[in-house]
Amino acid sequence: MWTRGQDMVGASNLLGVDVMTGHWEFTYLEAEVLQNAKLFNGDFVAQNIKAKEAALFEGIAVFDEDSGHIFPPYVIKSVNGRRIAVIGQAFPYTPIANPSRFIPNWTFGIQEQELQSQVDNIRASERPDAVILLSHNGMDVDLKLASRVTGIDFIMGGHTHDGVPVPVTVKNASGLTVVTNAGSNGKFVSVL
């Protein structure tokens, strides 16, 4: 709290984190969140955070005016010669967990239909070798999402404080999605 989150940005930079989505970052004010995201050396992605309609008319800062996304919804990474799409899914219940006065101009939520559209568009336009959802939903929501949203190869989640030592494979209408969760507080690291 003393550094308004900047100490954790510094720690993430030192650790070499290259893609992140959010949860407790939204305990700070909008301007502080945007500043911290700018200080992060990696990519801060969140497909489920958009500007409220009234805020767009007032001209608040957004990543994309057409979609209203505050942050890039995804990033393409090259890993061992493969193109990997990493979609961010920030903590959907931020307006319930934190006072709404901290982030008055942004919407959150699970955004299942938006996520399906993102996956479909990414698969069609980017043609990645794999699509990963970097999620802060929690394992229960991730399992449900994996059963309903098609085209995601892996969900690598956070928020659930229990370690998930063996990933769960979930069937959906077009195939399989592998879901795991890394626990909390750095106790576990998910490896793919």
Side-chain angles (χ1 to χ4, degrees), residues 11 41 67 130 165:
N41 290 340
S67 69

Side-chain angles (χ1 to χ4, degrees), residues 8-129:
M8 297 312 301
V9 174
S12 296
N13 288 341
L14 286 172
L15 287 169
V17 175
D18 57 354
V19 184
M20 178 184 288
T21 196
H23 179 243
W24 289 114
E25 291 76 10
F26 310 116
T27 304
Y28 308 111
L29 303 175
E30 287 176 13
E32 293 169 320
V33 175
L34 293 171
Q35 178 63 24
N36 287 343
K38 187 184 288 187
L39 294 172
F40 177 50
N41 290 340
D43 295 292
F44 191 93
V45 291
Q47 73 86 26
N48 61 325
I49 303 176
K50 291 186 172 184
K52 292 180 179 176
E53 192 171 331
L56 281 172
F57 286 117
E58 294 170 9
I60 70 160
V62 293
F63 166 74
D64 182 345
E65 285 185 20
D66 292 333
S67 69
H69 283 107
I70 299 295
F71 302 99
Y74 72 95
V75 63
I76 300 291
K77 292 289 186 181
S78 179
V79 180
N80 294 329
R82 301 288 186 178
R83 296 181 75 243
I84 310 298
V86 181
I87 303 170
Q89 177 78 5
F91 184 60
Y93 306 115
T94 293
I96 298 167
N98 296 322
S100 59
R101 69 181 182 278
F102 292 169
I103 311 286
N105 296 311
W106 299 355
T107 64
F108 292 81
I110 295 169
Q111 306 294 334
E112 180 182 326
Q113 291 175 335
E114 171 76 16
L115 177 58
Q116 185 66 70
S117 293
Q118 285 289 332
V119 172
D120 294 345
N121 290 337
I122 290 166
R123 287 220 173 260
S125 65
E126 300 281 0
R127 303 220 177 265
D129 294 298

